Amino acid sequence: MDLKSREAYQKMIEEAYTKIPETGYKQVTTRFNPPTVRIFYQGKNKTVILNFGEITEYLNRDPNILRKFLTLELAAPASPSNDRLILHTRVDDITLQNTINYFIKRYVKCPVCGGYDTKLEKVRRNLMLKCEICGAESPVPPIK
Ligand SMILES: [Zn+2]
């Protein structure tokens, strides 16, 4: 590339950058900040997640998948109740938050680019994490 065309190229790049709308930058830098789990205890052996619906909505995940995951990880049955989830065990909020964070790390966060704009899809009998940002498709362990 000679000097003249290099200058022209540089100019073209600079112009292109100035034309990117402000919102384009905002989307890229959007922070991933899921709601903190809020609970209360019902009787001795039940833990109710008050904002279960809010969390699954934020994560863009089927509430059933997170329910099954919690059931497995906490080794306790869980029943949905509107936007809440009733866990049939007593679990403190830190343990619960850590378990949800673990779910996010495994089933929400893209292992390739680290983005959170993903979808969970069943492909044949496998569970795949599809990234909307980089396009990666990563197999994830099944939740039975
Ligand atoms: Zn990605």
Side-chain angles (χ1 to χ4, degrees), residues 17-30:
Y17 270 116
T18 58
K19 278 173 192 160
I20 295 170
E22 189 106 9
T23 51
Y25 285 111
K26 273 183 191 154
Q27 273 178 338
V28 175
T29 55
T30 297

Side-chain angles (χ1 to χ4, degrees), residues 110 112-113 131 134 136:
C110 171
V112 177
C113 73
C131 181
C134 76

Side-chain angles (χ1 to χ4, degrees), residues 47 49 52-53 55-57 59 61-89 96 99-100 103-104 107 120 143-144:
T47 310
I49 304 178
F52 185 71
I55 292 168
T56 53
E57 200 175 303
L59 300 179
R61 287 297 170 272
D62 180 354
N64 275 321
I65 285 187
L66 183 55
R67 179 179 59 80
K68 281 182 196 167
F69 182 82
L70 292 175
T71 299
L72 284 171
E73 289 294 317
L74 303 167
S79 38
S81 167
N82 297 322
D83 273 356
R84 300 174 170 189
L85 186 75
I86 303 162
L87 294 160
H88 297 253
T89 185
L96 206 47
T99 311
I100 292 171
F103 175 85
I104 293 169
Y107 295 99
L120 207 53
I143 305 172
K144 278 170 193 164

